[in-house]
Amino acid sequence: MAKIGIGAWAGKIAVRIARGEVKFTISEDENGEYKIAVDLPGALRSAKISFMNLKEEADGKTLTGEGVISVLPGRKLTGAFTFEEDTFVGEIKAPVVGKIRITDGHRI
C-alpha cells in the first residue's frame, strides 16, 4: 500500500506569533515509518519539532499524529492532514495557541 502524502508540501499559517508559509517533507524511514521535516515561518523559524505516533486513518487520505515543539516544552501537539492528489488541508491543535489551520496546502 502506498504511503499517504509522501513528498514536499507547503501551506499557509496565520497565528499570533507567526504568519506565512510552512513547508514540510513527508518521507519514509528505513523501518517504513513516516518521517516529517518542517520549515516554519517568522518567529517560529528556529523552533524544533519532533513527531511521533504518525498513522494513516481508515479513509486512506488522512495522516494523523502527535508532536512536540521546542517553544512549548513538555506540551503535546496533535494534528491531522487530509490529502487529495496535489492538495491538502491540515489542522494542528497546540496548547496555549489553540487550533492552527494550514490553508492553501499544495504539493511543491
Side-chain angles (χ1 to χ4, degrees):
M1 178 196 268
K3 295 276 190 176
I4 299 169
I6 297 292
W9 301 88
K12 295 179 184 171
I13 62 169
V15 294
R16 190 169 27 104
I17 58 173
R19 294 182 182 280
E21 188 173 66
V22 59
K23 294 180 181 177
F24 61 98
T25 302
I26 302 173
S27 58
E28 195 175 349
D29 70 13
E30 61 278 354
N31 297 320
E33 300 294 322
Y34 281 104
K35 189 166 87 166
I36 302 176
V38 179
D39 291 319
L40 296 169
L44 295 176
R45 185 171 305 278
S46 62
K48 303 293 181 220
I49 300 178
S50 298
F51 296 95
M52 68 279 284
N53 301 322
L54 298 169
K55 66 178 183 171
E56 299 173 12
E57 294 300 320
D59 67 5
K61 300 187 290 186
T62 304
L63 183 62
T64 61
E66 300 172 334
V68 293
I69 186 167
S70 59
V71 296
L72 294 171
R75 305 276 182 101
K76 192 178 292 185
L77 312 174
T78 59
F81 299 87
T82 302
F83 297 90
E84 194 72 50
E85 295 182 22
D86 291 335
T87 63
F88 77 93
V89 293
E91 182 176 280
I92 297 170
K93 294 178 186 171
V96 181
V97 179
K99 289 183 185 178
I100 302 168
R101 295 195 198 302
I102 302 176
T103 59
D104 298 327
H106 60 280
R107 187 180 296 276
I108 52 175

